[in-house]
Amino acid sequence: MIDKNILLEVIDAALNEGGDYAEVFVEKSYLNSIKMIGGDVEEAKSGTDYGLGLRIFNKFNGIYAYTNNTERENLLKVARNTAKALKSERVLRPDNLEPAREMDNHIIKIRPDRVSQSEKLDLMNKANQVASNYDDSIKQTIINYFDKNQKITFINSEGDFVNDARVRTRLAISAVASIGGEKQTGFYAPGAHMGFEFYDTIDIEEYAEEAARIAATMIKADYAPAGKMPVVIDNGFGGVIFHEACGHSLEATSVAKKTSVFADRVGDQIASEVVTAIDDGTIPNAWGSQNFDDEGIPMQKNVLIKDGILQGYLVDRLNGRRMGAEPTGSGRRESYKYAPTSRMTNTYIAPGESSKDDIINSVDYGLYASKMGGGSVDPSTGQFNFNVQEGYLIRDGKIAEPVRGATLIGKGEDILKKIDMVGDNLAHEQGMCGSISGAVPSNVGQPMIRVSELTVGGREGGQS
Amino acid sequence: MEYKEFKKKIFEKAKAAGFSEVELYRNRNSSIDLRVFKGEVDHYSLNDDDGIGFRGIYQGKMGFSYTESISEEEIDFLVNKAKENAEIVDKEEGVIFTEKAEYQELNIISDDFGEINPDDKIELLKNAEQAAYDYDDRIEVVNYCMYSDMMLEEVMDNTAELELSNNSQLAYMYLSVLAADETDKKSSGKVVVKRKFAEFDPVELAEEVAKEAVSLLGASSIKSGDYPVLLRRDVAGDLLQTFASTLSAENVQKGLSLFEGKLDDKVAVDDLTLIDDPFMEEGFRSTPFDSEGYPTRKKEIIKNGILTTYLYNLKAAAREGVKSTGNAFRSSHKSSVGIAPTNLYIEPGQTSYDQLKKMKERILLVTDITGLHAGANQVSGDFSLSAEGFLLEDGEIIKPVEQITISGNFIELLKDVIGIGNDLEMGSPGRGHIGSPSLLIGSLSVGGN
């Protein structure tokens, strides 16, 4: 994209005023998206993201700059201005570079930016047909198609030189059920770090039917009760609970500053013994996978919690310096517009031994969160909230009537200790995770789990 | 490549490819982001953004493409992709603004933030951080102490000879702290936006945020049930922001808005008026033209409780045979043309914040809500949100409250407003610049113990 000798000149200029490390990240991404509402294509869009991000470290300080103007003269100007802001005295220049490293752990067969928009449309029409014809209560459908081919070059003053391509595709299906002015939505959005062949590996019609089934079920449901109760959270997107409540607090971004409740606690029993949690950026073709992170380091499988004991954190280069820890292949960013920081990739609770029936049968009265919605957390206090997209009451060990509008709230530290049963049916689902380095694709996952007690926010009074 | 030359060439190529009308939207932004942590500069970023969105009408349908590389080779990409995209769009609803129009002149004065020494900006942050630590020993850490300023330039050109540009500058400061005692940890944060650097008061911001975090220590849950709830102005503003997209005519037309079929209906209490004002001096979304080049205007969306209009762009307006309200919105060259308010606020009432606290014997005062992106449904209006605040009796704080949810429905809430404060505050600008006075709600369902 840009001649590597120019990039070396930029690194050299960046270290002109000092600093002990510099890196450049060049990105050219091709994006396509199509939006369909009620069976009609409302808009189709294609674009090119292009720019360069530059970073300089001086011990524990980092400075970042980016620009879209990649003319040599402008890049050198940006590098010199950035260097001035660092105000450092030490000088260190890059050595010669080895040839660029490339890896091919995630095979891409059909590049989606080379598939015509009308072929993508066929896929969307299939999903729309199934969702809109599910039953009479489904009054609206929204289907969004997305693909991105992100090509990056990374060079730093330590001689790391990496080229990588990240190809991702995703189809999001929303079905809206409506009866008498009330509305409920059901949502599925499968995606992968894969080419257009992804859609041969899944049955998109099944996802469309599920989205419609959830909306059609919830529109007929009463409001969830409010109060504390045992909660069973099903596999797949249920993993968002670990992602939000615990995963963010294990990122070096908050651990290095000791603003995380889990700082300085490696070796401690922070979760119940049935909990093992993993972040694995190497799973072939998974949504949150890639060959290298955005700091030129190969992705890794990181065990975060084993049998309830904290093993380690997700660490990026700068926070690694601050913590005296090695980076874990966790440096990620949305684009060249963001300085990278430690982020999750594909994060999940490892499977346990309980069967689905054992878990449901163990609850006299509680909530079964069959499908979770989104949520958020304050990493400094661990306080989280999630909404339940599809929920049911459990009565006498059996799944009873559906309930809508439930929210789960609590604290990360507490819930980890209250997970007392873990199922054997691990599944992953896809999400976009937002944080200070932008929105990055990440998988959440878990088997079915039981939480002995959680606060459920709903609209109806206490236990009935 | 020069923009003028780029424009000339792409207009020619687009016409040759069969486009009838074509528009370019250029969005340039240079900004600085700074963060201080424990007296050290923790993040320092210099940003220089530039990008072009291309829209063109091909056989009556709109095609869209964009690039961040203003170069000769991108011209064919933009034209070809936009054409391919137009071909799969279903309806011939493409509109580009071709009329001549009058535009209101705005007289909004900002500092030139680029001229202010970055060291002064860092100093501002260091002062705020220190003031937060000094406020109380229980301030364990200042999590985020951030400053950002930006120069934004929007340029619009089309083949109907429209040539518009608008420049604006603004600066943000954000502070968030964690307070801790032996048994509890609580955080609090606030954003302040200004057009003049000298108007930032780091100590005032630090003390406000620190005071709130400390006062929440020792909070506990309360019994589940229905409570009168006072939404402090920032919380009321956040809730309004969450549901602002439901005012879009496009969402209404698609059956995605809780306001569908409610035009000219009573949707709120009599005293409630909701205003969209693109000319507001203190509004950070003030603009003479919208993202389609259409002139903006001020309007009362809800007037004395009656819903008088939705918000329109050209496409949504054409569908109903009405005029655009000048609310076309795109957040950048990459984004589609959607619909958003400009400066949107609930008109302040006569009652002071302190008076609102005393209007009921027992009130749940909510000072923070989270989970808005997941726990609020724009289609049904239902929300269920994690909340924090204080339990009040006769206007006095009885105890801080945490680990609760407040649940309800947005329209039911608007009809159950029993007190409107005189304390309007605008929030931080995003998809519209949105604000509210404090609102006392007759009853909301609270989930706790």
Side-chain angles (χ1 to χ4, degrees), chain A residues 41-43 45-46 49 64 66-68 87 117 140 183 322 336-337 378 385 407 457, chain B residues 44-46 48-50 65-66 68 84-85 90 119 187 254 334 336 371 379 384:
Chain A
V41 173
E42 285 285 317
E43 183 177 81
K45 177 161 92 175
S46 306
D49 289 355
Y64 193 75
Y66 71 81
T67 182
N68 316 101
K87 292 181 189 139
Q117 297 287 74
Q140 185 59 286
K183 294 181 164 82
R322 291 166 173 165
Y336 67 91
K337 292 184 182 180
D378 177 345
N385 65 86
T407 300
Chain B
Y44 190 130
S45 177
L46 298 163
D48 171 21
D49 264 310
D50 195 356
S65 56
Y66 73 86
E68 293 175 351
E84 189 190 344
N85 285 330
D90 270 291
D119 289 345
S187 68
K254 299 294 173 196
K334 292 165 99 157
S336 335
V379 179
S384 179

mmCIF file of all heavy atoms in Angstrom, chain A residues 41-43 45-46 49 64 66-68 87 117 140 183 322 336-337 378 385 407 457, chain B residues 44-46 48-50 65-66 68 84-85 90 119 187 254 334 336 371 379 384:
data_model
loop_
_atom_site.group_PDB
_atom_site.id
_atom_site.type_symbol
_atom_site.label_atom_id
_atom_site.label_comp_id
_atom_site.label_asym_id
_atom_site.label_seq_id
_atom_site.Cartn_x
_atom_site.Cartn_y
_atom_site.Cartn_z
ATOM 1 N N VAL A 41 -34.874 -3.472 -0.646
ATOM 2 C CA VAL A 41 -33.535 -2.937 -0.407
ATOM 3 C C VAL A 41 -33.656 -1.419 -0.309
ATOM 4 O O VAL A 41 -34.070 -0.750 -1.242
ATOM 5 C CB VAL A 41 -32.555 -3.319 -1.531
ATOM 6 C CG1 VAL A 41 -31.218 -2.607 -1.337
ATOM 7 C CG2 VAL A 41 -32.350 -4.820 -1.550
ATOM 8 N N GLU A 42 -33.322 -0.912 0.871
ATOM 9 C CA GLU A 42 -33.394 0.527 1.116
ATOM 10 C C GLU A 42 -32.119 1.196 0.647
ATOM 11 O O GLU A 42 -32.132 2.304 0.153
ATOM 12 C CB GLU A 42 -33.513 0.767 2.615
ATOM 13 C CG GLU A 42 -34.878 0.473 3.171
ATOM 14 C CD GLU A 42 -35.868 1.559 2.811
ATOM 15 O OE1 GLU A 42 -35.494 2.739 2.910
ATOM 16 O OE2 GLU A 42 -36.987 1.208 2.423
ATOM 17 N N GLU A 43 -31.018 0.528 0.890
ATOM 18 C CA GLU A 43 -29.748 1.147 0.550
ATOM 19 C C GLU A 43 -28.657 0.099 0.437
ATOM 20 O O GLU A 43 -28.622 -0.863 1.190
ATOM 21 C CB GLU A 43 -29.339 2.132 1.638
ATOM 22 C CG GLU A 43 -28.056 2.856 1.290
ATOM 23 C CD GLU A 43 -27.689 3.876 2.346
ATOM 24 O OE1 GLU A 43 -27.116 3.473 3.370
ATOM 25 O OE2 GLU A 43 -27.982 5.046 2.145
ATOM 26 N N LYS A 45 -24.313 0.071 -0.037
ATOM 27 C CA LYS A 45 -23.211 1.010 0.163
ATOM 28 C C LYS A 45 -21.885 0.282 0.024
ATOM 29 O O LYS A 45 -21.750 -0.855 0.470
ATOM 30 C CB LYS A 45 -23.375 1.565 1.578
ATOM 31 C CG LYS A 45 -22.337 2.498 2.065
ATOM 32 C CD LYS A 45 -22.871 3.285 3.254
ATOM 33 C CE LYS A 45 -22.544 2.626 4.584
ATOM 34 N NZ LYS A 45 -22.954 3.436 5.732
ATOM 35 N N SER A 46 -20.914 0.932 -0.602
ATOM 36 C CA SER A 46 -19.570 0.371 -0.701
ATOM 37 C C SER A 46 -18.580 1.475 -0.383
ATOM 38 O O SER A 46 -18.838 2.637 -0.703
ATOM 39 C CB SER A 46 -19.283 -0.127 -2.119
ATOM 40 O OG SER A 46 -20.286 -1.027 -2.533
ATOM 41 N N ASP A 49 -11.925 2.421 3.357
ATOM 42 C CA ASP A 49 -11.308 3.093 4.499
ATOM 43 C C ASP A 49 -9.809 3.069 4.245
ATOM 44 O O ASP A 49 -9.259 2.017 3.903
ATOM 45 C CB ASP A 49 -11.560 2.326 5.798
ATOM 46 C CG ASP A 49 -13.000 2.415 6.253
ATOM 47 O OD1 ASP A 49 -13.777 3.142 5.624
ATOM 48 O OD2 ASP A 49 -13.339 1.731 7.239
ATOM 49 N N TYR A 64 -0.151 9.047 19.855
ATOM 50 C CA TYR A 64 -0.725 8.454 18.653
ATOM 51 C C TYR A 64 -1.130 9.556 17.687
ATOM 52 O O TYR A 64 -1.532 10.645 18.108
ATOM 53 C CB TYR A 64 -1.964 7.628 19.040
ATOM 54 C CG TYR A 64 -2.455 6.734 17.928
ATOM 55 C CD1 TYR A 64 -1.775 5.567 17.611
ATOM 56 C CD2 TYR A 64 -3.579 7.066 17.176
ATOM 57 C CE1 TYR A 64 -2.198 4.746 16.579
ATOM 58 C CE2 TYR A 64 -4.016 6.248 16.142
ATOM 59 C CZ TYR A 64 -3.314 5.090 15.845
ATOM 60 O OH TYR A 64 -3.737 4.287 14.824
ATOM 61 N N TYR A 66 -2.997 9.969 13.491
ATOM 62 C CA TYR A 66 -3.369 9.299 12.250
ATOM 63 C C TYR A 66 -3.743 10.312 11.189
ATOM 64 O O TYR A 66 -4.071 11.457 11.482
ATOM 65 C CB TYR A 66 -4.500 8.284 12.469
ATOM 66 C CG TYR A 66 -5.860 8.864 12.755
ATOM 67 C CD1 TYR A 66 -6.677 9.329 11.721
ATOM 68 C CD2 TYR A 66 -6.343 8.912 14.046
ATOM 69 C CE1 TYR A 66 -7.937 9.838 11.983
ATOM 70 C CE2 TYR A 66 -7.606 9.417 14.323
ATOM 71 C CZ TYR A 66 -8.397 9.881 13.286
ATOM 72 O OH TYR A 66 -9.641 10.383 13.549
ATOM 73 N N THR A 67 -3.676 9.865 9.968
ATOM 74 C CA THR A 67 -4.023 10.733 8.843
ATOM 75 C C THR A 67 -4.469 9.889 7.659
ATOM 76 O O THR A 67 -4.129 8.722 7.556
ATOM 77 C CB THR A 67 -2.819 11.614 8.443
ATOM 78 O OG1 THR A 67 -3.212 12.484 7.381
ATOM 79 C CG2 THR A 67 -1.639 10.779 7.969
ATOM 80 N N ASN A 68 -5.273 10.499 6.770
ATOM 81 C CA ASN A 68 -5.637 9.837 5.513
ATOM 82 C C ASN A 68 -4.730 10.269 4.373
ATOM 83 O O ASN A 68 -4.752 9.684 3.308
ATOM 84 C CB ASN A 68 -7.056 10.197 5.043
ATOM 85 C CG ASN A 68 -8.055 10.169 6.143
ATOM 86 O OD1 ASN A 68 -8.439 11.197 6.668
ATOM 87 N ND2 ASN A 68 -8.467 8.984 6.501
ATOM 88 N N LYS A 87 8.216 15.067 23.676
ATOM 89 C CA LYS A 87 9.194 15.754 24.538
ATOM 90 C C LYS A 87 10.098 14.783 25.279
ATOM 91 O O LYS A 87 10.134 14.752 26.500
ATOM 92 C CB LYS A 87 8.465 16.640 25.551
ATOM 93 C CG LYS A 87 7.777 17.791 24.894
ATOM 94 C CD LYS A 87 7.092 18.640 25.916
ATOM 95 C CE LYS A 87 6.244 19.653 25.206
ATOM 96 N NZ LYS A 87 4.977 19.855 25.828
ATOM 97 N N GLN A 117 -23.159 -7.566 -5.512
ATOM 98 C CA GLN A 117 -24.154 -7.179 -4.518
ATOM 99 C C GLN A 117 -25.446 -7.964 -4.749
ATOM 100 O O GLN A 117 -26.170 -8.261 -3.796
ATOM 101 C CB GLN A 117 -24.429 -5.672 -4.580
ATOM 102 C CG GLN A 117 -23.241 -4.770 -4.266
ATOM 103 C CD GLN A 117 -22.861 -4.726 -2.801
ATOM 104 O OE1 GLN A 117 -22.294 -5.669 -2.274
ATOM 105 N NE2 GLN A 117 -23.151 -3.610 -2.134
ATOM 106 N N GLN A 140 -42.838 -6.858 10.522
ATOM 107 C CA GLN A 140 -41.723 -6.151 9.897
ATOM 108 C C GLN A 140 -40.454 -6.998 9.995
ATOM 109 O O GLN A 140 -40.302 -7.756 10.959
ATOM 110 C CB GLN A 140 -41.519 -4.784 10.577
ATOM 111 C CG GLN A 140 -40.479 -3.888 9.961
ATOM 112 C CD GLN A 140 -40.755 -3.551 8.509
ATOM 113 O OE1 GLN A 140 -40.586 -4.389 7.615
ATOM 114 N NE2 GLN A 140 -41.192 -2.331 8.245
ATOM 115 N N LYS A 183 -45.066 -4.070 20.342
ATOM 116 C CA LYS A 183 -44.067 -4.657 19.447
ATOM 117 C C LYS A 183 -42.968 -5.360 20.224
ATOM 118 O O LYS A 183 -42.587 -4.922 21.306
ATOM 119 C CB LYS A 183 -43.460 -3.550 18.580
ATOM 120 C CG LYS A 183 -44.444 -2.914 17.614
ATOM 121 C CD LYS A 183 -43.777 -1.842 16.782
ATOM 122 C CE LYS A 183 -44.608 -1.485 15.565
ATOM 123 N NZ LYS A 183 -45.693 -0.527 15.856
ATOM 124 N N ARG A 322 3.693 -1.106 31.307
ATOM 125 C CA ARG A 322 3.284 -0.519 32.590
ATOM 126 C C ARG A 322 3.154 -1.588 33.667
ATOM 127 O O ARG A 322 3.378 -1.332 34.843
ATOM 128 C CB ARG A 322 1.953 0.224 32.422
ATOM 129 C CG ARG A 322 2.088 1.486 31.564
ATOM 130 C CD ARG A 322 0.714 2.008 31.139
ATOM 131 N NE ARG A 322 0.845 3.297 30.457
ATOM 132 C CZ ARG A 322 -0.134 3.847 29.728
ATOM 133 N NH1 ARG A 322 -1.298 3.219 29.594
ATOM 134 N NH2 ARG A 322 0.048 5.014 29.152
ATOM 135 N N TYR A 336 -7.328 2.303 11.736
ATOM 136 C CA TYR A 336 -6.144 3.167 11.913
ATOM 137 C C TYR A 336 -6.461 4.419 12.728
ATOM 138 O O TYR A 336 -5.563 5.120 13.158
ATOM 139 C CB TYR A 336 -5.593 3.564 10.535
ATOM 140 C CG TYR A 336 -6.517 4.471 9.761
ATOM 141 C CD1 TYR A 336 -6.412 5.852 9.859
ATOM 142 C CD2 TYR A 336 -7.545 3.931 8.979
ATOM 143 C CE1 TYR A 336 -7.286 6.683 9.194
ATOM 144 C CE2 TYR A 336 -8.421 4.754 8.312
ATOM 145 C CZ TYR A 336 -8.293 6.131 8.422
ATOM 146 O OH TYR A 336 -9.178 6.945 7.780
ATOM 147 N N LYS A 337 -7.752 4.693 12.938
ATOM 148 C CA LYS A 337 -8.117 5.890 13.697
ATOM 149 C C LYS A 337 -7.991 5.699 15.207
ATOM 150 O O LYS A 337 -8.253 6.623 15.973
ATOM 151 C CB LYS A 337 -9.552 6.307 13.374
ATOM 152 C CG LYS A 337 -9.691 6.797 11.952
ATOM 153 C CD LYS A 337 -11.074 7.305 11.663
ATOM 154 C CE LYS A 337 -11.149 7.732 10.203
ATOM 155 N NZ LYS A 337 -12.462 8.243 9.841
ATOM 156 N N ASP A 378 -19.566 -1.245 34.107
ATOM 157 C CA ASP A 378 -18.607 -0.248 34.582
ATOM 158 C C ASP A 378 -17.415 -1.034 35.126
ATOM 159 O O ASP A 378 -17.515 -1.659 36.174
ATOM 160 C CB ASP A 378 -19.262 0.583 35.690
ATOM 161 C CG ASP A 378 -18.305 1.595 36.301
ATOM 162 O OD1 ASP A 378 -17.077 1.466 36.080
ATOM 163 O OD2 ASP A 378 -18.769 2.496 37.005
ATOM 164 N N ASN A 385 -25.231 -4.721 33.481
ATOM 165 C CA ASN A 385 -26.643 -4.926 33.185
ATOM 166 C C ASN A 385 -26.768 -5.600 31.831
ATOM 167 O O ASN A 385 -25.984 -5.328 30.930
ATOM 168 C CB ASN A 385 -27.384 -3.587 33.179
ATOM 169 C CG ASN A 385 -26.893 -2.707 32.072
ATOM 170 O OD1 ASN A 385 -27.357 -2.798 30.937
ATOM 171 N ND2 ASN A 385 -25.900 -1.886 32.364
ATOM 172 N N THR A 407 -34.396 -7.625 32.746
ATOM 173 C CA THR A 407 -33.028 -7.140 32.741
ATOM 174 C C THR A 407 -32.300 -7.840 33.874
ATOM 175 O O THR A 407 -32.889 -8.044 34.936
ATOM 176 C CB THR A 407 -33.012 -5.617 32.987
ATOM 177 O OG1 THR A 407 -33.745 -4.981 31.951
ATOM 178 C CG2 THR A 407 -31.604 -5.058 32.967
ATOM 179 N N GLY A 457 -34.678 -7.363 36.789
ATOM 180 C CA GLY A 457 -35.516 -6.171 36.694
ATOM 181 C C GLY A 457 -36.652 -6.467 35.751
ATOM 182 O O GLY A 457 -36.445 -6.835 34.600
ATOM 183 N N TYR B 44 -2.335 10.614 24.079
ATOM 184 C CA TYR B 44 -2.158 11.863 23.351
ATOM 185 C C TYR B 44 -2.328 11.488 21.889
ATOM 186 O O TYR B 44 -1.531 10.723 21.359
ATOM 187 C CB TYR B 44 -0.745 12.395 23.632
ATOM 188 C CG TYR B 44 -0.432 13.798 23.151
ATOM 189 C CD1 TYR B 44 0.150 14.726 24.015
ATOM 190 C CD2 TYR B 44 -0.677 14.189 21.843
ATOM 191 C CE1 TYR B 44 0.463 16.016 23.590
ATOM 192 C CE2 TYR B 44 -0.374 15.469 21.415
ATOM 193 C CZ TYR B 44 0.200 16.372 22.290
ATOM 194 O OH TYR B 44 0.519 17.633 21.868
ATOM 195 N N SER B 45 -3.374 11.965 21.260
ATOM 196 C CA SER B 45 -3.616 11.561 19.884
ATOM 197 C C SER B 45 -3.943 12.765 19.022
ATOM 198 O O SER B 45 -4.762 13.608 19.396
ATOM 199 C CB SER B 45 -4.758 10.541 19.866
ATOM 200 O OG SER B 45 -5.062 10.175 18.555
ATOM 201 N N LEU B 46 -3.251 12.854 17.887
ATOM 202 C CA LEU B 46 -3.486 13.934 16.923
ATOM 203 C C LEU B 46 -4.186 13.335 15.717
ATOM 204 O O LEU B 46 -3.662 12.395 15.108
ATOM 205 C CB LEU B 46 -2.141 14.520 16.475
ATOM 206 C CG LEU B 46 -1.298 15.154 17.575
ATOM 207 C CD1 LEU B 46 0.143 15.324 17.123
ATOM 208 C CD2 LEU B 46 -1.898 16.501 17.966
ATOM 209 N N ASP B 48 -6.335 13.511 12.044
ATOM 210 C CA ASP B 48 -6.527 14.292 10.835
ATOM 211 C C ASP B 48 -7.360 13.436 9.887
ATOM 212 O O ASP B 48 -6.870 12.472 9.319
ATOM 213 C CB ASP B 48 -5.112 14.588 10.274
ATOM 214 C CG ASP B 48 -5.152 15.199 8.908
ATOM 215 O OD1 ASP B 48 -6.203 15.757 8.538
ATOM 216 O OD2 ASP B 48 -4.130 15.102 8.194
ATOM 217 N N ASP B 49 -8.649 13.755 9.824
ATOM 218 C CA ASP B 49 -9.614 12.942 9.089
ATOM 219 C C ASP B 49 -10.074 13.635 7.834
ATOM 220 O O ASP B 49 -10.350 14.824 7.854
ATOM 221 C CB ASP B 49 -10.908 12.834 9.914
ATOM 222 C CG ASP B 49 -10.948 11.595 10.725
ATOM 223 O OD1 ASP B 49 -10.709 10.535 10.166
ATOM 224 O OD2 ASP B 49 -11.240 11.715 11.931
ATOM 225 N N ASP B 50 -10.249 12.877 6.789
ATOM 226 C CA ASP B 50 -10.787 13.451 5.564
ATOM 227 C C ASP B 50 -11.470 12.322 4.807
ATOM 228 O O ASP B 50 -10.949 11.210 4.756
ATOM 229 C CB ASP B 50 -9.631 14.033 4.730
ATOM 230 C CG ASP B 50 -10.117 14.953 3.623
ATOM 231 O OD1 ASP B 50 -11.343 15.095 3.446
ATOM 232 O OD2 ASP B 50 -9.255 15.534 2.930
ATOM 233 N N SER B 65 -21.489 5.391 -2.319
ATOM 234 C CA SER B 65 -20.143 4.868 -2.082
ATOM 235 C C SER B 65 -19.337 5.946 -1.364
ATOM 236 O O SER B 65 -19.745 7.095 -1.318
ATOM 237 C CB SER B 65 -19.470 4.481 -3.408
ATOM 238 O OG SER B 65 -19.455 5.588 -4.284
ATOM 239 N N TYR B 66 -18.214 5.566 -0.795
ATOM 240 C CA TYR B 66 -17.373 6.577 -0.138
ATOM 241 C C TYR B 66 -15.918 6.168 -0.212
ATOM 242 O O TYR B 66 -15.588 5.005 -0.457
ATOM 243 C CB TYR B 66 -17.787 6.778 1.326
ATOM 244 C CG TYR B 66 -17.389 5.650 2.235
ATOM 245 C CD1 TYR B 66 -16.111 5.619 2.818
ATOM 246 C CD2 TYR B 66 -18.258 4.610 2.510
ATOM 247 C CE1 TYR B 66 -15.733 4.580 3.647
ATOM 248 C CE2 TYR B 66 -17.875 3.567 3.326
ATOM 249 C CZ TYR B 66 -16.617 3.554 3.895
ATOM 250 O OH TYR B 66 -16.239 2.520 4.705
ATOM 251 N N GLU B 68 -11.782 7.281 1.585
ATOM 252 C CA GLU B 68 -10.929 8.126 2.418
ATOM 253 C C GLU B 68 -9.613 8.400 1.711
ATOM 254 O O GLU B 68 -8.671 8.901 2.300
ATOM 255 C CB GLU B 68 -10.699 7.446 3.773
ATOM 256 C CG GLU B 68 -11.991 7.370 4.563
ATOM 257 C CD GLU B 68 -11.881 6.605 5.863
ATOM 258 O OE1 GLU B 68 -10.853 5.969 6.115
ATOM 259 O OE2 GLU B 68 -12.852 6.657 6.632
ATOM 260 N N GLU B 84 -23.567 -0.028 -9.182
ATOM 261 C CA GLU B 84 -23.936 -1.408 -8.813
ATOM 262 C C GLU B 84 -24.914 -1.403 -7.631
ATOM 263 O O GLU B 84 -25.878 -2.169 -7.586
ATOM 264 C CB GLU B 84 -22.665 -2.204 -8.445
ATOM 265 C CG GLU B 84 -22.924 -3.696 -8.272
ATOM 266 C CD GLU B 84 -21.737 -4.472 -7.661
ATOM 267 O OE1 GLU B 84 -20.601 -3.933 -7.640
ATOM 268 O OE2 GLU B 84 -21.959 -5.594 -7.220
ATOM 269 N N ASN B 85 -24.668 -0.508 -6.686
ATOM 270 C CA ASN B 85 -25.536 -0.419 -5.511
ATOM 271 C C ASN B 85 -26.920 0.128 -5.861
ATOM 272 O O ASN B 85 -27.931 -0.339 -5.343
ATOM 273 C CB ASN B 85 -24.869 0.427 -4.428
ATOM 274 C CG ASN B 85 -23.754 -0.333 -3.733
ATOM 275 O OD1 ASN B 85 -23.807 -1.550 -3.618
ATOM 276 N ND2 ASN B 85 -22.731 0.376 -3.292
ATOM 277 N N ASP B 90 -34.600 -1.226 -4.353
ATOM 278 C CA ASP B 90 -35.900 -1.611 -4.878
ATOM 279 C C ASP B 90 -36.743 -0.475 -5.448
ATOM 280 O O ASP B 90 -37.406 -0.633 -6.453
ATOM 281 C CB ASP B 90 -36.706 -2.339 -3.800
ATOM 282 C CG ASP B 90 -36.432 -3.827 -3.874
ATOM 283 O OD1 ASP B 90 -36.867 -4.431 -4.851
ATOM 284 O OD2 ASP B 90 -35.758 -4.360 -2.970
ATOM 285 N N ASP B 119 -0.120 22.181 25.803
ATOM 286 C CA ASP B 119 0.293 22.145 27.207
ATOM 287 C C ASP B 119 -0.778 22.735 28.123
ATOM 288 O O ASP B 119 -0.949 22.305 29.264
ATOM 289 C CB ASP B 119 1.607 22.917 27.411
ATOM 290 C CG ASP B 119 2.791 22.182 26.793
ATOM 291 O OD1 ASP B 119 2.626 20.977 26.479
ATOM 292 O OD2 ASP B 119 3.846 22.797 26.618
ATOM 293 N N SER B 187 -18.689 4.679 41.210
ATOM 294 C CA SER B 187 -18.089 5.572 40.226
ATOM 295 C C SER B 187 -19.108 6.615 39.775
ATOM 296 O O SER B 187 -20.315 6.450 39.922
ATOM 297 C CB SER B 187 -17.598 4.778 39.014
ATOM 298 O OG SER B 187 -18.679 4.257 38.304
ATOM 299 N N LYS B 254 -41.670 2.726 8.560
ATOM 300 C CA LYS B 254 -41.259 1.323 8.526
ATOM 301 C C LYS B 254 -41.856 0.518 9.684
ATOM 302 O O LYS B 254 -41.482 -0.636 9.889
ATOM 303 C CB LYS B 254 -39.731 1.222 8.607
ATOM 304 C CG LYS B 254 -38.994 1.892 7.479
ATOM 305 C CD LYS B 254 -39.261 1.204 6.165
ATOM 306 C CE LYS B 254 -38.654 1.967 5.023
ATOM 307 N NZ LYS B 254 -39.185 1.555 3.739
ATOM 308 N N LYS B 334 -19.003 8.358 5.618
ATOM 309 C CA LYS B 334 -19.266 6.931 5.495
ATOM 310 C C LYS B 334 -20.716 6.580 5.723
ATOM 311 O O LYS B 334 -21.156 5.489 5.387
ATOM 312 C CB LYS B 334 -18.490 6.163 6.574
ATOM 313 C CG LYS B 334 -17.023 6.168 6.405
ATOM 314 C CD LYS B 334 -16.375 5.707 7.694
ATOM 315 C CE LYS B 334 -16.009 4.262 7.612
ATOM 316 N NZ LYS B 334 -14.937 3.899 8.540
ATOM 317 N N SER B 336 -24.885 6.614 5.883
ATOM 318 C CA SER B 336 -26.058 6.871 5.064
ATOM 319 C C SER B 336 -26.733 8.140 5.536
ATOM 320 O O SER B 336 -26.510 8.598 6.649
ATOM 321 C CB SER B 336 -27.080 5.758 5.229
ATOM 322 O OG SER B 336 -26.471 4.575 5.610
ATOM 323 N N GLY B 371 -27.298 0.793 30.479
ATOM 324 C CA GLY B 371 -27.944 -0.272 29.716
ATOM 325 C C GLY B 371 -28.911 0.255 28.685
ATOM 326 O O GLY B 371 -29.740 -0.476 28.166
ATOM 327 N N VAL B 379 -39.026 0.305 19.506
ATOM 328 C CA VAL B 379 -40.248 -0.069 18.808
ATOM 329 C C VAL B 379 -41.429 -0.127 19.769
ATOM 330 O O VAL B 379 -42.492 0.424 19.510
ATOM 331 C CB VAL B 379 -40.058 -1.413 18.074
ATOM 332 C CG1 VAL B 379 -41.329 -1.815 17.362
ATOM 333 C CG2 VAL B 379 -38.912 -1.313 17.078
ATOM 334 N N SER B 384 -36.078 -1.129 30.537
ATOM 335 C CA SER B 384 -35.757 -1.711 31.826
ATOM 336 C C SER B 384 -34.278 -1.471 32.019
ATOM 337 O O SER B 384 -33.451 -2.039 31.313
ATOM 338 C CB SER B 384 -36.089 -3.206 31.816
ATOM 339 O OG SER B 384 -35.756 -3.748 33.077
#
